[in-house]
Every structure is written in structure tokens, then in C-alpha cells.
Amino acid sequence: MEVLRQGAILTPSAPKLRTVLSLLAVQTSIVVRTDKIIEELWEDSPPTSVTTTLQTYIYQLRKLLRLGTPPDMDRAGDTPAEAALRTSPYGYALFLDPDMLDATRFERLSDQGRRELEAGDMNAASETLSRALRLWRGPALVDVGHGPVLRAEALRLEEINRNTLERRIEADLHLGRHHELLGELTGLAAEQPTHEGLQAKLMLALHRAGRRSEALQIYQRTRSTLAKELGLDPSNELEQLHRAVLAADESLALPRPRSPIRLSHSRPPRQLPPQRTALVGRQPQVRAVLAAMAARQVHAPPVVVITGPPGSGKSALCAHVGHRANDPYPDGQLYVRLLDAQGHPADPHDVLAEFLRALDVPEDRIPATLSERSRLFRTWTADRHLLVILDDVVQTDQLLPLVPASPDCGVLVTARRQLSAPVVTAVVEVGQLDAEQGLRLLTNVLGKHRVAREEAAAREIVRLCDGLPAALEAAAALLQLRQHWPLSKLVRGNGATDRHGTLNHHELFLYASVELSYRLAPPNVQRAFRRLVRFDVSAFTPRLAARLLQLSELQTESLLDELVEAQLMVTEPGGETDLLQYRFLPSVRAAGRRLPAGPCGVIHGSVHQAVGAGAGAAPVTS
């Protein structure tokens, strides 16, 4: 263990302090429970005053290492700029930037080198893996007292170290450095006489160095050791290598140089769609998304999901942030819409082919299967700064293969339904604009004077459009096209509204967006949606909705929650007997009423018939 701060050595000398610090460091940014720390320090024999003793250790660590308390951090993945130690009701958490810990840097370099090796970039792999190995100064945690957690962590790090070493040797063998490897391999093979992988590498290096007889002697020695110590015969791979050395097989010669696949830095892809109009009323969401994108992860990129009801401007917000966040992603911006106009989800297999072509992968190097394409995409993005924007994701199976590898990349997602996936690091919700924001949106398109002349009508348009940007933009586009119309004509003129008080111009309905979300829902959810939108109810309780749907309350509540997940309904606090109430935005209700009648037919009757007077109410028929 060694702790440095601005060149000064601050390593604790007390054994227990070293153990506490190591335990918190290997689980950085995670609250380590007090009972786990106690078990690590004393296992089954803690002292009587164990809580006070532990608090003393924490105090001493704060003082010695000058560890402050981190500021309040609301977003997952936030890390303070300085090392900080937080106390929670259940334990303690040490917050470190990923580059502050050599073990974290080692794992990141080891993973990067593995991907470079898989991509065939042997020079880069050898250099990266060598940098990772140079961070080691002896066995992991050799001078720290071990409890169960640190013992397991030391074993894990040692195993990664062995794998990293073998990969670096493999890269060097591909590069023809067999002479330079002989001394190192001879020592490693002697230390681990039953490690067949190391013995095979030593045999190959000796064969390529023109020392075939010594290579055969290594095989005989290994065969004897395996039989004597383990009662085993050599593996098939070692047997095949032995036969190939005996036959001086040409397959053992240096492999032909393989051109690694590289990104073309001369033409980074810039696939973001242009911004249509100025973004209004979304400054808090823009800040939230930018902050979530800037929150560094250790092993993976930030994945930020933007959700909201149909017409709330998710895609516009996503494009705006993408243009704002251009500088951190010099290697390009990839964009795809994962749902076509007919409501068919895009296949990640095809999307990955488009991404790889955009990154200048030759057509004959694009693999055939989804898993291979995803691995190649992750390999290519392993050391890049790339922004990936996935618009209209409808299921997590679309998202997961398209996430790049490097934590320096970023992923922006708009979702037509709420998503739950381990890769998601933050969710930002967008909703309706308020009256002033909606008025400003109309002013941006129609001009200040035209809106000021009929401000009352403009405010009514905002109300009838539910403050949803897509509906407001459609209204503004129609009025801009028909310059001779007064704004009031759109509100009340010539049958402009139906009996439900909703704008009746096709251009102003969110029909297409609502229909897409509706199509993606399961049949039972579609049926519930078609039935419920036909009732003039401001908010549904589960009991009321159950009577209207003629289902049990449990079944109905599940359907209502699925409509919320599909963003076709919203929730609000309920009354004394119901925790939640569910309602439709008026514009979503109006669009839903235009959907063609399905197998459930047309709803007849009224809410009063359905709920009536208790159990004797007349049911709704279909």
C-alpha cells in the first residue's frame, strides 16, 4: 500500500487503518456496511467497544489523508473532484476519481489491451498491456491485513494480472519477439511447471528461435510433471503443439501481419439531425442531461434515457443536447431511429452494420452475427470518444448491443416506453410546457406581433394542445402556412373544435405518435386503452377503471401501470383510499378516440351506468 497526495507520502502505518482504507478503496463509491468492516478487521473476535474503535479509525483516516465530506450528490455515478469520505447510517463510503486508484487504472488498461488483441492490433495491445503490468509492484495487498473481502479481492486482482501477462506475451509472440521473451518465459514456466499455457508459449518461442530440441524437452518435462503431480496427461492443445514441433509444421511460423481495423479520423461521422426550432422551456432538462453525460463511469459509458408522453419533445431535446455536447466526442456522433413510421422496431443487427460502415469498416470485415457485430463495435469504441444517439428505443434488447465500450463515450436514448436496464445510468423526464413557455414557442414561430394581437386565443391554443411541443409546433406550422387566418379561427372558427373541446384539425392531433405507442402495447393493454379513452373521466381510480373494464382491481391496476409505462397515461396522487389516480392528457385522449375500433368494438353506455350505485350498477357492454 502507498498513498500519495501532491507528492507527499501519507501511507498509514497502523495495520488496522491500512485494512480499513484498503477495504473502502477496493469498493470505492459504495457504502461498506459497518458490520462488514468489523468482520474484515476482527472476523469472529471484535473488541467490546468495537463501534467506538471503528469511529476512531475513521476519524484518524480523515485527519491523516485530509479527507473531507463530499457534497450532496443526487445523481448516480457522481464523483467529487477530491477524495472524500462519507458517513451513512449503515457504514462508510470512500469517493475517488477512477484515476486515483492504481488498481482501477490497471483493470481499465487490461480490458483495453484485451480488446486491442481481439481486434488484431498487436502493437497497441502489447503497449497497453505492458503499461497495465508496470503498475504492479508486488503481490496484491501484500502488506495489508486480510479479512474475507480483501482476500477475495487480492485473488481476483492476481488472476487478472496473470491473464494480462499471458495476453501481453501472446501479443509479443505475434510480433516476432520470441528471442526477447525466452528469459521471461523460462522463469515463468519454472515457477508454474503445471501451467500448460505458459509451457506451450515457451515451446513456441524456442521453436521460432531455432531451438527445436529444447522445445521438445520442455514438452517431455511438462508431461512428466503433470503425470507425477496431478496424474494427468497433457491437453490436446499441448499434444498438437508437440506434434507440430516434431514435424516442423509451417503453421508454427510467425503469422502474417494482420492489418488492424482503425477508425478514420479524417471523416468522423456526424449523423445528428438538424435542430428544427429553438428549444423552449427545457433548460432544466438540458442541464440534467448534460450533467448525467458528464458523470464519469469506471468501466462503461453513461447511458441517459429521456422519457415523456407522446409529443413532449423527447427527440428535439435529444438532438439539442447532442449538438451542445459536440466537443467531448471528437471521434463522431452516430444517430439512428429504432422505430419506423409503420411502428416496426429496428433490428440491432442491421443498425450495427450501419454504424460499422459509418466508422469506415470495410464491408468484408463486418461479421455476420449480431453478437460478433456487437463485439467488433465495442472493440472499435474501446479507446474512442463517440456519442451514440438512439431515438425511439422500444425495448432493452435494442439498446444493449448498441452501447459502446469506452467510458469516454456517451449514449443518449429517447424511449417510447419506460425502460429498465442495468446499463442505464440516468433517466430524465420531460412533460408539458406551462402557459408562458407554450406562448413563447408560438411566438418563436409566428412572430411577436401576431401572437400579441390575439394573446387570449394563443393561450387557448396552448391549453388545447396540453402544452405539448409537438402539438404546438403543428398548430404553429398550420397558422404559418395560412397567414390569412386569425389565431381565433383555429380555436373556435368553422368547427375547429369537437364536442370535447379538443382541436379538430388533423394536423394538430398527436395521432401518429399516440398510434405508434399504442401499437407497441400488448393486446390486453390496447383493449384497455381503447375502452377507457371513450369515457369523460378526469382521473381513474383502480376501482372505477375495474368496473369500466369489467375486470378485477388487481388486473386493472396492472393494466393501468402498463399504460403509464407506455406513456399513454400519467399518474397523480390519489385520495384517502387510493394511493394513485390515473388520467389521460386530453390530447392523448382525443388521439386515442380516433383509433379504429378493435375486436372489443365500440363502448356503449356511460360512466354513471358503469359505477351506478355500488354493486348493483349496470355493466358496460361491448
Side-chain angles (χ1 to χ4, degrees), residues 165-459:
L165 177 61
E166 289 189 49
R167 291 190 180 109
R168 197 224 75 214
I169 292 171
E170 181 182 343
D172 286 346
L173 282 170
H174 272 84
L175 293 169
R177 298 172 182 169
H178 38 271
H179 288 286
E180 296 91 328
L181 287 170
L182 282 174
E184 181 182 19
L185 277 171
T186 299
L188 290 169
E191 289 175 8
Q192 303 176 64
T194 59
H195 192 307
E196 294 180 78
L198 289 175
Q199 308 302 325
K201 288 178 173 61
L202 177 57
M203 287 176 62
L204 183 58
L206 286 167
H207 172 77
R208 288 181 180 170
R211 297 160 64 175
R212 191 154 59 115
S213 62
E214 293 175 62
L216 295 172
Q217 288 172 14
I218 295 296
Y219 171 79
Q220 295 299 337
R221 187 182 70 191
T222 304
R223 181 182 180 186
S224 174
T225 302
L226 287 169
K228 182 178 179 180
E229 295 190 12
L230 303 175
L232 297 174
D233 291 325
S235 65
N236 288 335
E237 291 78 9
L238 202 60
E239 288 279 10
Q240 290 172 4
L241 178 60
H242 176 237
R243 288 196 293 270
V245 172
L246 280 172
D249 196 315
E250 291 185 3
S251 65
L252 299 182
L254 274 172
R256 296 172 62 183
R258 177 183 167 193
S259 300
I261 302 174
R262 293 187 180 276
L263 269 175
S264 168
H265 288 277
S266 59
R267 295 182 293 111
R270 302 290 182 197
Q271 298 182 342
L272 272 177
Q275 298 185 75
R276 293 173 297 172
T277 57
L279 203 64
V280 173
R282 298 303 189 205
Q283 285 69 32
Q285 288 85 359
V286 169
R287 288 194 295 269
V289 174
L290 288 172
M293 295 290 287
R296 287 199 50 159
Q297 311 298 308
V298 178
H299 299 298
V303 178
V304 181
V305 176
I306 300 171
T307 65
S312 57
K314 300 182 289 291
S315 297
L317 173 62
C318 193
H320 177 85
V321 172
H323 286 287
R324 281 274 302 270
N326 187 34
D327 290 343
Y329 306 105
D331 292 317
Q333 298 168 331
L334 298 174
Y335 171 88
V336 66
R337 186 165 184 248
L338 289 163
L339 190 70
D340 65 20
Q342 287 71 45
H344 302 132
D347 189 338
H349 177 273
D350 300 327
V351 173
L352 281 169
E354 293 178 18
F355 280 0
L356 292 170
R357 291 187 195 104
L359 296 171
D360 288 340
V361 176
E363 193 71 33
D364 61 350
R365 299 292 295 274
I366 296 177
T369 67
L370 172 62
S371 60
E372 289 174 321
R373 290 180 179 185
S374 185
R375 280 197 298 271
L376 180 57
F377 179 63
R378 290 197 301 271
T379 298
W380 272 49
T381 56
D383 57 352
R384 311 292 179 188
H385 296 70
L386 190 74
L387 178 63
V388 179
I389 293 187
L390 308 175
D391 198 6
D392 252 341
V393 173
V394 295
Q395 54 198 32
T396 54
D397 289 349
Q398 289 180 303
L399 170 63
L400 299 177
L402 304 177
V403 175
S406 170
D408 295 318
C409 293
V411 183
L412 272 177
V413 177
T414 70
R416 193 160 284 275
R417 59 177 297 114
Q418 294 174 1
L419 296 177
S420 175
V423 296
V424 174
T425 57
V427 177
V428 176
E429 294 193 15
V430 293
Q432 302 158 266
L433 300 177
D434 63 30
E436 297 305 319
Q437 293 166 342
L439 203 63
R440 194 158 71 249
L441 189 153
L442 291 177
T443 301
N444 287 346
V445 180
L446 300 175
K448 184 177 180 179
H449 297 297
R450 189 175 180 190
V451 172
R453 281 199 307 269
E454 295 185 87
E455 185 175 328
R459 289 183 180 276

Side-chain angles (χ1 to χ4, degrees), residues 2-146:
E2 186 175 69
V3 182
L4 300 173
R5 183 162 191 162
Q6 296 176 344
I9 298 177
L10 302 178
T11 312
S13 57
K16 297 296 188 187
L17 284 187
R18 297 163 72 87
T19 299
V20 173
L21 180 57
S22 298
L23 181 63
L24 294 174
V26 300
Q27 301 183 76
T28 179
S29 305
I30 297 173
V31 174
V32 182
R33 292 179 63 92
T34 302
D35 57 343
K36 290 295 182 185
I37 302 175
I38 293 171
E39 183 183 8
E40 193 73 17
L41 290 171
W42 294 285
E43 298 202 18
D44 297 328
S45 306
T48 307
S49 57
V50 63
T51 303
T52 303
T53 304
L54 180 56
Q55 289 171 347
T56 302
Y57 291 158
I58 296 296
Y59 168 77
Q60 290 174 342
L61 280 178
R62 286 190 195 278
K63 184 178 178 182
L64 174 65
L65 304 181
R66 304 196 290 275
L67 294 172
T69 300
D72 289 337
M73 292 175 291
D74 298 326
R75 298 180 302 275
D78 278 6
T79 303
E82 292 288 331
L85 183 58
R86 168 183 281 181
T87 301
S88 85
Y90 310 103
Y92 303 92
L94 179 64
F95 289 86
L96 300 173
D97 184 275
D99 284 333
M100 291 180 182
L101 198 64
D102 60 353
T104 304
R105 291 205 307 272
F106 162 71
E107 288 192 65
R108 188 172 69 244
L109 288 169
S110 176
D111 197 44
Q112 178 184 330
R114 174 187 58 78
R115 292 191 295 266
E116 290 167 345
L117 188 68
E118 291 172 352
D121 195 345
M122 299 301 167
N123 280 298
S126 175
E127 173 59 27
T128 302
L129 295 169
S130 295
R131 283 167 54 205
L133 293 167
R134 284 196 293 270
L135 292 170
W136 283 71
R137 296 171 291 123
L141 300 169
V142 66
D143 55 351
V144 176
H146 289 186

